[in-house]
Amino acid sequence: MVANGYAYCATLTRDQWAWEFLRRNPDYQADYRQFFALWRALEADYGAPPQRDFQRWKRDPRAYGPLPGKGELTAASGELCTVDDDRVLLECWMGAKWGFHKFPLDPERTEPPGSDELSWRPPPSAALPDDNYRLDIHFDLSLPLSPQLEAAKFRLVGRATELRRAGYAAPKSVANQREHWTAMLCVLDAVESGDAKLLAEARAMTQGGYLDILRLADDGTK
């Protein structure tokens, strides 16, 4: 049974699910507050579009990342938006740090963002899966590849079938993870009690696991 206030989860897309976890990340919330305060200060000094004095704006060091007190990005997601002297625009620094394109979104908003508001950068390279989902297949490059690829496909399909029979989602999808993800949101928001394992899993989703959601197939359905 879905807790009151979470019925909207039934129609979230893959990209919106990733946002639901990121916006509950305390570090992102703090970054956004600091970013938005700087942005408002810059707009107070130089105006908002279409009256913005961009020439003066771009000469202000506050317009570039990192945020005050934050270090340089060590693992930026995707390309950085730089100017002639290789400085990174502040809004792009936020996106590179947290994995999205477009202007940073307010984590306090309750309406799921549309594709015109949120666009994710390609997620970083995946870590090795846990043992249940891992299948090691060896190839002999001295032999023809075609029959080996067919045999590998057969093994993959067979292993996925075994996992489903054992109660695992294989492959994972928005549809078969929705109930579990909703339970995580409820635990994070403290509207329902959950065991320590679920809470730890939910917190891990806010800290970077949300990017793994983007690896799932985006079949255009909700």
Side-chain angles (χ1 to χ4, degrees):
M1 180 177 179
V2 179
N4 290 335
Y6 292 83
Y8 74 96
C9 292
T11 59
L12 291 178
T13 64
R14 179 196 67 178
D15 289 7
Q16 289 169 339
W17 271 113
W19 166 247
E20 287 298 315
F21 285 104
L22 173 59
R23 78 182 188 90
R24 288 169 168 81
N25 181 317
D27 294 328
Y28 176 75
Q29 294 167 4
D31 273 6
Y32 180 83
R33 288 192 296 268
Q34 190 175 6
F35 161 80
F36 194 65
L38 274 174
W39 195 264
R40 291 293 296 272
L42 287 164
E43 287 191 330
D45 290 341
Y46 309 119
Q51 289 80 31
R52 175 177 297 163
D53 185 343
F54 187 68
Q55 293 302 315
R56 292 178 61 206
W57 178 298
K58 70 180 185 180
R59 289 196 295 268
D60 193 315
R62 295 175 298 171
Y64 302 93
L67 288 168
K70 308 292 183 179
E72 296 290 341
L73 295 177
T74 57
S77 176
E79 295 183 359
L80 297 174
C81 308
T82 58
V83 293
D84 293 340
D85 57 4
D86 291 333
R87 289 183 297 175
V88 182
L89 295 170
L90 185 60
E91 63 272 32
C92 294
W93 182 90
M94 282 281 290
K97 178 177 180 178
W98 296 105
F100 53 78
H101 295 293
K102 299 185 182 292
F103 195 80
L105 295 176
D106 184 350
E108 295 298 321
R109 63 176 288 166
T110 57
E111 180 182 358
S115 58
D116 59 330
E117 299 175 281
L118 177 65
S119 175
W120 292 100
R121 295 167 180 248
S125 300
L128 289 176
D130 63 44
D131 290 342
N132 288 321
Y133 285 99
R134 179 172 175 173
L135 178 62
D136 295 325
I137 300 177
H138 300 281
F139 292 90
D140 186 342
L141 298 182
S142 70
L143 299 175
L145 288 179
S146 181
Q148 296 184 76
L149 291 171
E150 285 299 317
K153 180 180 178 180
F154 183 80
R155 287 188 62 192
L156 287 167
V157 172
R159 179 55 181 160
T161 300
E162 292 175 0
L163 287 172
R164 289 193 292 272
R165 288 173 178 169
Y168 293 94
K172 292 181 179 179
S173 68
V174 170
N176 63 34
Q177 294 299 298
R178 182 181 292 118
E179 183 177 354
H180 186 54
W181 290 342
T182 302
M184 288 186 187
L185 298 187
C186 292
V187 171
L188 288 169
D189 297 342
V191 299
E192 287 188 0
S193 60
D195 59 30
K197 181 179 179 181
L198 180 62
L199 180 58
E201 186 180 1
R203 286 174 174 167
M205 287 291 278
T206 70
Q207 295 295 328
Y210 65 92
L211 295 172
D212 290 330
I213 294 176
L214 303 174
R215 303 182 200 284
L216 303 186
D218 184 12
D219 58 8
T221 64
K222 295 182 179 183

